[in-house]
């Protein structure tokens, strides 16, 4: 039986790893709909290459360009929010949710509501509205499969085990490009330096989050919701080789770890396989003798305050992670544009968390509420930005 796969964020880093895998297993999969943000040229090319049936862009203004680029292809297309939701509504067995940022909430949630099996890369869905997403996944009988490498490793390590038997779950961090840098050097880091990830090849936003360790903070929140595990049983350890991705510490002292080469096609293949294992062509097998040594060190929250801020947001619960994520998206975009220094990111995020702590105490009940908080905090953050430059 051929499975139909729809890809949200198809032209991005995760999207491309997904289409690479699908092309290697043509007998098993066909592409349903592909969704992108605003790059009509790239989406049209991808839609033609993959034989997609429907292509949609979030940016309405890019619609004419998409229609022109797909003329004569027989591929239906559209642009704007309604078109994205129409793409999600196309028949599919698996939806890969790989839009970056809070923009991924609506289409990902729409897939859940249709009871689809969702391979979830968009961690922001769980960070911004985790309780609502988990509730609705259960309500609409939709499976959520973790694409994020650490969570995928944890899911594999946990297997059929019960979370009540788990003493602790640990996710690893590569430490990013600034792992060994002094505070002074990090303070003066450029966007290009922050984007130079040592082990993974990823989109720009997540690269910056990896440099600040905010990505690990987001992932702790993601793990809390995915595995229904309390914050005090979740942990981060720095592991520069990015070979061990997640560890389950059982209460009897045994530890089960998930290992793989740092290649996102590995966790994506695990999700797409739906219980069966898919071969990855041109994948580099893990060679532990060649790796030589696997090293581990504690994460330094003094040099990487975003991790401390995210832990606090996780402990506080409610809408604190929603607030934190919105401020972080604005701050990271400003850092990429060269408008604020690297530590301007953690400064802005911390200020936003303090500003909104009591106002948004309760967890958003649905995606609309999460997006309303997101919009409010973004507007506040954009206004606060000029003060961060000083
Ligand atoms: P990229 O920036 O590489 O790709 C983002 C994709 O989303 C692009 O196709 C982009 O299209 C599209 N997009 C942007 N805005 C919208 C929108 N409003 N509506 C629909 N589509 C949109 O990101 P990544 O692939 O790196 O990351 C995607 C998600 O996966 C993130 O949540 C990230 O945290 C997560 N993730 C990524 C990992 C990685 O290795 N890259 C690892 C683990 C998780 P366009 O270019 O046209 O704007
Ligand atoms: Mg990850």
């Amino acid at each position: 039986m051929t499975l139909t796969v729809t890809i949200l964020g198809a032209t991005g880093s995760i999207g491309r790893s997904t289409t690479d895998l699908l092309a290697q297993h043509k007998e098993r999969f066909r592409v349903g709909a592909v969704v992108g943000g605003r790059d009509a040229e790239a989406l049209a090319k991808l839609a033609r290459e993959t034989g997609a049936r429907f292509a949609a862009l979030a940016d309405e203004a890019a619609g004419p360009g998409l229609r022109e680029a797909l003329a004569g292809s027989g591929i239906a297309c559209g642009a704007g929010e309604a078109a994205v939701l129409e793409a999600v509504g196309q028949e599919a067995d698996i939806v890969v949710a790989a839009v970056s940022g809070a923009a991924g909430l609506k289409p990902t949630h729409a897939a859940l509501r249709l009871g689809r099996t969702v391979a979830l890369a968009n961690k922001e869905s769980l960070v911004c509205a985790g309780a609502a997403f988990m509730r609705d996944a259960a309500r609409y009988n939709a499976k959520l499969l973790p694409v994020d490498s650490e969570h995928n490793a944890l899911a594999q390590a946990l297997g059929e085990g019960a979370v009540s038997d788990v003493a602790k779950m640990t996710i690893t961090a590569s430490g990013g490009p600034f792992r060994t840098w002094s505070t002074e050097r990090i303070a003066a880091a450029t966007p290009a330096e922050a984007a130079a990830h040592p082990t993974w090849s990823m989109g720009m936003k997540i690269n910056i989050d990896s440099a600040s360790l905010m990505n690990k903070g987001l992932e702790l929140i993601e793990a809390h919701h995915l595995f229904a595990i309390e914050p005090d049983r979740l942990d981060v350890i720095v592991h520069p080789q990015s070979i061990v991705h997640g560890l389950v510490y059982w209460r009897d002292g045994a530890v089960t770890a998930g290992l793989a080469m740092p290649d996102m096609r590995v966790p994506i293949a695990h999700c797409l396989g739906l219980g069966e294992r898919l071969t990855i062509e041109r994948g580099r097998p893990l060679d532990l003798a060649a790796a030589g040594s696997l090293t581990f060190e504690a994460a330094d929250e003094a040099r990487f305050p975003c991790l401390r801020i995210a832990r606090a947001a996780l402990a506080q619960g409610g809408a604190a992670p929603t607030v934190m994520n919105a401020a972080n998206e604005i701050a990271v975009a400003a850092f990429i544009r060269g408008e604020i220094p690297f530590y301007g990111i953690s400064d802005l995020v911390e200020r936003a968390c303090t500003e909104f702590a009591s106002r948004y105490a309760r967890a958003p009940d649905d995606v609309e509420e999460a997006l309303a908080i997101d919009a409010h905090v973004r507007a506040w953050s954009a206004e606060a930005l000029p003060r961060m430059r000083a």
Side-chain angles (χ1 to χ4, degrees):
M1 196 187 77
T2 322
L3 297 176
T4 302
V5 181
T6 278
I7 312 166
L8 315 177
T11 52
S13 165
I14 294 287
R16 301 236 173 234
S17 295
T18 304
T19 52
D20 179 43
L21 266 174
L22 297 178
Q24 293 180 21
H25 295 277
K26 284 213 164 86
E27 72 301 338
R28 203 179 175 106
F29 302 110
R30 69 171 168 231
V31 176
V34 287
V35 172
R38 56 179 56 87
D39 190 339
E41 201 82 6
L43 188 72
K45 186 163 178 281
L46 188 84
R48 285 177 186 270
E49 281 166 8
T50 58
R53 275 119 193 250
F54 193 98
L57 283 172
D59 182 7
E60 206 150 0
L66 183 64
R67 267 191 296 281
E68 193 182 321
L70 283 174
S73 68
I75 301 169
C77 68
E81 191 176 300
V84 169
L85 294 178
E86 194 181 343
V88 177
Q90 303 290 305
E91 189 254 302
D93 298 290
I94 305 174
V95 175
V96 177
V99 171
S100 81
L105 263 72
K106 266 199 192 169
T108 305
H109 190 260
L112 276 192
R113 283 183 62 108
L114 289 166
R116 301 279 194 256
T117 292
V118 175
L120 182 73
N122 181 256
K123 59 190 80 181
E124 293 83 355
S125 287
L126 292 179
V127 171
C128 300
F133 267 77
M134 297 313 290
R135 178 200 63 207
D136 289 345
R139 186 178 285 172
Y140 297 103
N141 209 11
K143 268 207 200 84
L144 261 186
L145 308 173
V147 168
D148 211 346
S149 53
E150 298 76 8
H151 306 74
N152 189 273
L154 286 176
Q156 296 203 45
L158 185 63
E160 298 300 310
V163 173
S164 55
D165 279 336
V166 172
K168 181 175 83 163
M169 283 180 170
T170 299
I171 57 176
T172 64
S174 70
F178 305 152
R179 180 176 63 88
T180 59
W181 289 29
S182 67
T183 308
E184 295 69 32
R185 211 175 148 204
I186 296 173
T190 64
E193 287 169 329
H197 199 276
T199 48
W200 295 97
S201 148
M202 311 181 287
M204 188 65 172
K205 156 75 168 51
I206 186 172
N207 264 336
I208 307 298
D209 284 344
S210 298
S212 70
L213 292 198
M214 177 56 92
N215 185 47
K216 265 334 110 172
L218 299 176
E219 289 181 352
L220 286 175
I221 299 165
E222 185 184 9
H224 161 66
H225 290 293
L226 268 177
F227 299 107
I229 186 166
E230 304 85 342
D232 62 357
R233 284 198 285 156
L234 285 168
D235 208 0
V236 170
I237 192 164
V238 174
H239 167 48
Q241 296 81 19
S242 297
I243 285 174
V244 179
H245 304 292
L247 304 111
V248 173
Y249 290 70
W250 302 98
R251 60 171 158 184
D252 59 7
V255 181
T256 311
L259 283 72
M261 289 298 283
D263 177 346
M264 285 310 295
R265 292 177 305 173
V266 175
I268 297 169
H270 179 253
C271 293
L272 295 178
L274 300 176
E276 285 176 41
R277 296 282 173 178
L278 303 179
T279 310
I280 303 178
E281 278 164 36
R282 299 182 305 279
R284 276 186 307 150
L286 173 58
D287 180 345
L288 284 173
S293 56
L294 303 182
T295 60
F296 300 89
E297 60 200 48
D300 179 357
E301 293 188 357
R303 281 182 305 134
F304 301 100
C306 281
L307 182 58
R308 170 180 55 75
I309 295 166
R311 271 186 195 285
L314 171 61
Q316 191 186 330
T322 323
V323 169
M324 179 189 79
N325 183 72
N328 185 57
E329 288 196 21
I330 293 294
V332 167
F335 171 71
I336 292 171
R337 292 193 302 266
E339 292 173 11
I340 59 171
F342 191 71
Y343 283 127
I345 299 175
S346 45
D347 287 350
L348 180 71
V349 174
E350 193 154 42
R351 282 201 210 181
C353 289
T354 308
E355 173 77 19
F356 292 101
S358 51
R359 176 164 188 148
Y360 293 129
R362 198 175 48 79
D365 199 42
D366 50 35
V367 170
E368 286 66 35
E369 196 182 341
L371 289 176
I373 297 170
D374 179 79
H376 184 185
V377 177
R378 277 170 193 268
W380 180 91
S381 302
E383 254 177 45
L385 267 180
R387 295 198 293 279
M388 310 307 301
R389 287 180 201 133

